[in-house]
Amino acid sequence: MSVPQSLTHSQVDFVNDDFEALASHMRHCARAHGRWFSVRSHMQRVRALAAGRIVTMTCMAVVLGIGLFAIA
């Protein structure tokens, strides 16, 4: 039984392809972590914190506004 030649001598270099993909990813990450990375990271954390509480804060502001209007 003969084995197809495409299976016996593969010209694909998986290690080199993985290395190139990793190097590309590392270059992309290095560009993304530029001068303003810490500011963007902090703002993203603040936005995530506020987004979870925006409805609650709005409802509290409306209730406070109605309470102040009722007192005045």
Side-chain angles (χ1 to χ4, degrees):
M1 179 191 295
S2 66
V3 177
Q5 188 174 5
S6 63
L7 294 178
T8 58
H9 297 289
S10 177
Q11 297 297 324
V12 179
D13 186 7
F14 292 110
V15 174
N16 193 33
D17 290 343
D18 288 345
F19 179 74
E20 289 296 325
L22 179 61
S24 173
H25 175 74
M26 296 300 288
R27 283 191 299 272
H28 175 74
C29 287
R31 280 188 300 242
H33 290 85
R35 178 181 304 166
W36 295 98
F37 175 75
S38 62
V39 173
R40 285 192 310 258
S41 178
H42 179 69
M43 292 304 294
Q44 185 177 13
R45 277 186 251 135
V46 168
R47 189 179 334 142
L49 181 68
R53 292 166 177 81
I54 192 104
V55 174
T56 304
M57 292 186 325
T58 303
C59 289
M60 289 180 66
V62 168
V63 168
L64 182 65
I66 290 172
L68 290 175
F69 183 72
I71 291 173

